Amino acid sequence: MLAAADVRGDLAHVAAPALVIGGSADIATPPGTQELYAAGIPGALLLILDDVAHMATAAVPAEIAREIIAHAAHVHG
């Protein structure tokens, strides 16, 4: 089901400050797709991590956590 899901039409409706995080080695959601997602969300930031594949949260959880915390601190500064 997830492979067939296409949420691009809904991205413009995201109202929360968004940080799109992906990996440069992600085959399932390649960087070009990550860029499209970020571009579709108003004001979204994009972070593509070098040498990280599809499960970025499992591969580099501390780095992901740091980035989310930094994003939240910036947004709620």
Side-chain angles (χ1 to χ4, degrees):
M1 180 178 103
L2 289 177
D6 185 354
V7 298
R8 290 175 291 176
D10 297 323
L11 295 175
H13 302 291
V14 175
L19 173 62
V20 176
I21 302 175
S24 65
D26 190 338
I27 296 170
T29 310
T33 302
Q34 298 165 33
E35 291 167 0
L36 287 173
Y37 290 161
I41 300 170
L45 300 176
L46 173 64
L47 173 63
I48 298 177
L49 303 170
D50 290 333
D51 301 318
V52 173
H54 188 63
M55 297 298 292
T57 52
V60 288
E63 186 172 356
I64 298 288
R66 277 193 306 274
E67 294 295 342
I68 291 171
I69 290 167
H71 180 68
H74 173 76
V75 169
H76 298 289

